[in-house]
Amino acid sequence: DTAVSQTPKYLVTQMGNDKSIKCEQNLGHDTMYWYKQDSKKFLKIMFSYNNKELIINETVPNRFSPKSPDKAHLNLHINSLELGDSAVYFCASSQLARGQKNTGELFFGEGSRLTVL
Amino acid sequence: ELKVEQNPLFLSMQEGKNYTIYCNYSTTSDRLYWYRQDPGKSLESLFVLLSNGAVKQEGRLMASLDTKARLSTLHITAAVHDLSATYFCAVDRIFGNEKLTFGTGTRLTIIP
């Protein structure tokens, strides 16, 4: 079984369209993340949810809206897509450390490559 | 704001040689991670370093952490072609706003 799974793996769309990426984890983790990896391979966090509650919201255009229906799922909806949104979007999950013995290690999905034309 | 820098950004080395990748970070941190990414693939966790002086080894890779110097190293011993990948270090803090801040990545190419 895949621990963190994302769909779709590839997404090609026109500017101005709206698209969604879905993520599910079966690791029993309480925290999920969206990271963006640009063409230079730089990884930057976008959002994080802990038990369905938004805990990290980086400086991301409000065209990006995450939703977590339960702690095993975190979806990303993008409105009015722009050329600069082209990237690989990674979902990840972890068990939040918060001073406990958990390592806080992130487990990543396979990534969703978004190409905006 | 926490900043994480790696060097070198690109590394091309011959099989059988040794080399070290460096990861510097700007503020006090509690945990440091090393990840590997193959082209077009996901990120795979290699090491988790939780305390000053921590050293972990797996095969030809060894990672260490010096929290006083805010420095971690990933040492490659007798490189083989299979180690070609991009290696990322990442840092976060246990208390406060927990998030992993990634380094710029080091693209390692092992030449036969």
Side-chain angles (χ1 to χ4, degrees):
Chain A
D1 280 346
T2 303
V4 182
S5 59
Q6 298 179 226
T7 55
K9 192 170 182 179
Y10 299 97
L11 196 52
V12 180
T13 189
Q14 300 284 334
M15 271 198 309
N17 285 349
D18 304 338
K19 290 293 178 186
S20 293
I21 307 171
K22 295 185 176 182
C23 180
E24 176 181 4
Q25 55 98 1
N26 62 9
L27 297 169
H29 289 161
D30 61 3
T31 306
M32 296 184 72
Y33 310 79
W34 280 110
Y35 276 82
K36 178 180 180 180
Q37 186 173 45
D38 62 22
S39 58
K40 295 183 179 179
K41 303 297 183 186
F42 186 66
L43 275 156
K44 187 171 172 59
I45 191 167
M46 300 173 69
F47 303 102
S48 175
Y49 273 74
N50 174 253
N51 284 320
K52 302 193 296 177
E53 180 184 349
L54 181 66
I55 59 170
I56 294 173
N57 185 353
E58 292 294 285
T59 307
V60 176
N62 57 15
R63 299 181 294 104
F64 291 78
S65 53
K67 284 189 180 174
S68 181
D70 56 62
K71 73 174 190 177
H73 295 84
L74 179 61
N75 304 322
L76 183 65
H77 187 75
I78 316 169
N79 290 325
S80 304
L81 279 156
E82 300 178 357
L83 292 176
D85 297 332
S86 295
V88 181
Y89 293 85
F90 283 99
C91 177
S93 73
S94 73
Q95 191 63 24
L96 211 58
R98 291 266 166 87
Q100 298 171 9
K101 293 183 179 178
N102 298 318
T103 65
E105 185 180 3
L106 259 62
F107 293 81
F108 284 85
E110 293 293 312
S112 297
R113 181 176 294 274
L114 172 65
T115 303
V116 182
L117 303 175
Chain B
E1 182 183 342
L2 177 60
K3 292 186 178 179
V4 184
E5 294 183 347
Q6 287 180 237
N7 71 82
L9 298 183
F10 298 93
L11 177 56
S12 182
M13 52 191 292
Q14 287 187 318
E15 279 190 328
K17 300 289 187 181
N18 303 334
Y19 209 81
T20 301
I21 299 170
Y22 297 89
C23 174
N24 291 89
Y25 51 97
S26 60
T27 61
T28 303
S29 176
D30 301 297
R31 295 172 295 190
L32 190 136
Y33 307 81
W34 284 97
Y35 285 87
R36 168 182 172 150
Q37 185 179 33
D38 292 310
K41 300 294 185 182
S42 183
L43 284 90
E44 173 192 357
S45 178
L46 295 174
F47 300 109
V48 180
L49 302 170
L50 301 176
S51 60
N52 187 39
V55 177
K56 291 197 174 179
Q57 183 164 4
E58 181 73 34
R60 300 175 187 274
L61 300 178
M62 183 174 72
S64 66
L65 178 61
D66 181 344
T67 58
K68 293 180 181 179
R70 297 177 187 167
L71 170 69
S72 179
T73 61
L74 181 66
H75 187 73
I76 303 150
T77 302
V80 293
H81 181 68
D82 286 352
L83 291 179
S84 296
T86 299
Y87 292 85
F88 292 93
C89 65
V91 177
D92 76 352
R93 314 180 75 166
I94 295 178
F95 298 104
N97 200 8
E98 296 189 46
K99 60 179 181 181
L100 237 55
T101 299
F102 279 80
T104 47
T106 296
R107 189 172 297 183
L108 174 64
T109 303
I110 309 296
I111 304 166

